Amino acid sequence: MNLDTKTALIYDEEMTQYKLLWVDPACKIEVPERLTVSYEALMKTGLADRCVSVPVREAIDEDILLVHSEDYLEAVKQTPYMTLEDLQEFTLQYGDVYFHPNIYHCAKLAAGATLQLVDSVMTGKVRNGMALVRPPGHHSMCSAANGFCVFNNVSIAAKYAKQKYGIKRILIVDWDVHHGQGVQYCFEEDPSVLYFSWHRYEHQKFWPNLRESDYDTVGKAMGAGFNINVPWNKVGLENSDYLSVFIHMLLPVAYEFCPELVFVCAGFDTAIGDPEGEMCATPDVFAHLTHLLMNLANGKVCAVLEGGYNLKSLPQSVCETVQTLLGDPLPQPANLTGPCKSALESLHCVRATHRNYWSCLKHAADLPSNELSTKRVKLAEDENPVEKNEEEKEAKEIVWPDPLKRTSPSVRTAVVVPEGITCPEGCQLFCPSEDPDPNLIKQLQESLGRDTDDLTTLSTLIALMDQMEKNRIRSGLALVRDVSMTMNCIVQHAASSSCNRILIVFLGDEVVKNITEDGKTMLVHLSSNSLESEMTKYYIPVCLKKGCSDVSGLIHAVLSLLLPLGYEFDPGLVLLVQTPDCGVSENTWQQLTGLLQALAQGHTLVLMKESDQTSVAPTVSSLLGTPAPSLGPLSAPGSDDVEVLERLRLKLQRDWKLLQTTVSEIKCDDDG
Ligand code: X5A
Ligand code: ZN
């Protein structure tokens, strides 16, 4: 396999060689085992062997000084020679952190490992990668250690990437459960680094208890709008909460921003069972969070470990992340039922705040009337913090099922092409193993008449779908004479057979037959058809002014409607159909194909017209897992399109809760 499709894994056992040497309840969870269990899980699952192992190095002074002050560096340099008492005293000037004679060495390795990852990705040695490091980084500041962090690994690496590779736009996604205030401070005036962080906040009652972690801190001067904080004001949040914020806030802004490099402050204290986060998201959610970033920046994603303190969910989450970076099929996302009210309130506030800075959010609703800053002040007044009893905390043991194994079918992409057309490189020509079922032929004949070519193609296609359903084939591409007719036959077949739910995404102006409302198929029809067909729960006509040819309009439709609908519908197969005249650009099509592979375990079947030869290569490339090319910074979607999409979203959110973006416009309790 080509190196540029590979995933780097950077780890060194040396980073386990420091620990807390005295009693400190705030720090006792940050243990060396965090790293050993994570690495062992990667070994045991065989994931480590599939990665390119890149050695760590020590960051040098010059690297560290990109972010930290000389005084601070000199102070940390003394720690290896300190006595136990000196170390304890030194530690006291900082918050929730501890020092050890070997931590300076490890901190240099952690920062250096992150720089090695940047170099591997930027030189094309690998496509993406993960660095498993200790100590973590995102809380440490210019002149201060904080929150288990000594040097700010990701901030140093972002500055390094700007300097060494001349990168103009960097996205940092901080999915750790704590606010990476160190990263925020480092880049608050810098518009070339977009920092996104969600974090447990509880109206400032949760550590680090900062006013500036709230949604209304957006960055300063030139950097205004390039700092995005999503405060969580409740614990127990679930997969739906995380995914809805990714889909409705981070992704639209990220696509508009168009980063050249993506860092993930990959803390897994957001996962279930974590004593710090107290959230309920399952490890498989990190597969989706990772995948949704992998079509940005031409796939250049650098994940760097931050927190994560449950020694069971941490290694599981690390494995889900690495396995996704390697390109394995995603786990089917279970019970996505929409965000809870508190998460929705946070989403609403952050969208309202950032609509001044991002054109994709121009239409976002006003802040809710019971604005939260007042709530925060009130909460602070009558606050009577009840410290949770530590033993009590540990007593209630949280259990969750082991993540399912993510097995890659032996065939990645199968194709069905008419005779005379050669099989695209990297694909496998699909030949049905059995003769078609006579009942099926009879049924097809009834709807098709006697055209034997069409009949053969269709029965072959249905056999292919069956193989995909049995997980023997991951994805498929079919070139057919008539895409609409083929699609209609497949819908009919789905209704009368016991196959899984199918999400159909149709790009083009041809009129499509209304589909059944039995919930087996959902059709999202993206077109420029002026006649707005009747929308139902499962038939969603999306009419864009310039159809699929307008990049921002289409991406906006995909993120605000298609993706949340797809996640909530949870299909077993995605049928992606394009007509030759639909006008979609090659790169946008690849983005769509790439993103949709988050659904149905990557079971995407693309239908195109046989004469449409130029679309074959880009489609195959996306189906084979190549990241879609960047679309360039996006302009504002047309206001007509935004209006149409908003109208649809408002209507549909009664049935599909993942479409919600505000707390007020839907009365949550009146439709139970
Ligand atoms: C990296 C990280 C958490 C510090 C918590 C202190 N730090 N209470 O997760
Ligand atoms: Zn954390």
Side-chain angles (χ1 to χ4, degrees), residues 32 80 229 266 560 577 669:
N229 285 333
S560 66
V577 191
D669 335 355

PDB file of all heavy atoms in Angstrom, residues 32 80 229 266 560 577 669:
ATOM      1  N   PRO A  32       0.025   6.428  34.905  1.00  0.00           N
ATOM      2  CA  PRO A  32       0.750   5.879  33.747  1.00  0.00           C
ATOM      3  C   PRO A  32      -0.048   4.828  32.980  1.00  0.00           C
ATOM      4  O   PRO A  32       0.094   4.702  31.761  1.00  0.00           O
ATOM      5  CB  PRO A  32       1.988   5.233  34.383  1.00  0.00           C
ATOM      6  CG  PRO A  32       2.151   5.873  35.707  1.00  0.00           C
ATOM      7  CD  PRO A  32       0.787   6.296  36.166  1.00  0.00           C
ATOM      8  N   PRO A  80      13.918  18.278  37.325  1.00  0.00           N
ATOM      9  CA  PRO A  80      14.557  16.957  37.473  1.00  0.00           C
ATOM     10  C   PRO A  80      15.536  16.897  38.648  1.00  0.00           C
ATOM     11  O   PRO A  80      15.875  15.817  39.114  1.00  0.00           O
ATOM     12  CB  PRO A  80      15.296  16.764  36.145  1.00  0.00           C
ATOM     13  CG  PRO A  80      14.588  17.636  35.183  1.00  0.00           C
ATOM     14  CD  PRO A  80      14.122  18.822  35.973  1.00  0.00           C
ATOM     15  N   ASN A 229     -16.531  28.191  21.663  1.00  0.00           N
ATOM     16  CA  ASN A 229     -16.732  27.439  22.900  1.00  0.00           C
ATOM     17  C   ASN A 229     -18.159  26.925  22.981  1.00  0.00           C
ATOM     18  O   ASN A 229     -19.110  27.687  22.833  1.00  0.00           O
ATOM     19  CB  ASN A 229     -16.486  28.334  24.122  1.00  0.00           C
ATOM     20  CG  ASN A 229     -15.015  28.580  24.351  1.00  0.00           C
ATOM     21  OD1 ASN A 229     -14.177  27.756  23.973  1.00  0.00           O
ATOM     22  ND2 ASN A 229     -14.684  29.701  24.963  1.00  0.00           N
ATOM     23  N   ALA A 266      -7.479  15.161  21.418  1.00  0.00           N
ATOM     24  CA  ALA A 266      -8.293  13.965  21.579  1.00  0.00           C
ATOM     25  C   ALA A 266      -8.280  13.498  23.030  1.00  0.00           C
ATOM     26  O   ALA A 266      -7.506  12.628  23.407  1.00  0.00           O
ATOM     27  CB  ALA A 266      -7.811  12.866  20.636  1.00  0.00           C
ATOM     28  N   SER A 560     -26.967  20.602   6.944  1.00  0.00           N
ATOM     29  CA  SER A 560     -28.103  20.981   7.789  1.00  0.00           C
ATOM     30  C   SER A 560     -29.268  20.000   7.687  1.00  0.00           C
ATOM     31  O   SER A 560     -30.065  19.898   8.603  1.00  0.00           O
ATOM     32  CB  SER A 560     -28.563  22.401   7.472  1.00  0.00           C
ATOM     33  OG  SER A 560     -29.092  22.451   6.166  1.00  0.00           O
ATOM     34  N   VAL A 577     -27.409   8.564  -5.968  1.00  0.00           N
ATOM     35  CA  VAL A 577     -27.726   8.591  -7.388  1.00  0.00           C
ATOM     36  C   VAL A 577     -27.453   9.970  -7.964  1.00  0.00           C
ATOM     37  O   VAL A 577     -27.870  10.980  -7.395  1.00  0.00           O
ATOM     38  CB  VAL A 577     -29.226   8.261  -7.610  1.00  0.00           C
ATOM     39  CG1 VAL A 577     -29.509   8.023  -9.078  1.00  0.00           C
ATOM     40  CG2 VAL A 577     -29.648   7.057  -6.772  1.00  0.00           C
ATOM     41  N   ASP A 669     -42.421  19.404  24.702  1.00  0.00           N
ATOM     42  CA  ASP A 669     -43.266  18.505  25.489  1.00  0.00           C
ATOM     43  C   ASP A 669     -44.649  18.299  24.879  1.00  0.00           C
ATOM     44  O   ASP A 669     -45.461  17.568  25.428  1.00  0.00           O
ATOM     45  CB  ASP A 669     -43.451  18.991  26.929  1.00  0.00           C
ATOM     46  CG  ASP A 669     -42.329  19.878  27.401  1.00  0.00           C
ATOM     47  OD1 ASP A 669     -41.345  20.039  26.646  1.00  0.00           O
ATOM     48  OD2 ASP A 669     -42.423  20.415  28.493  1.00  0.00           O
TER      49      ASP A 669
END
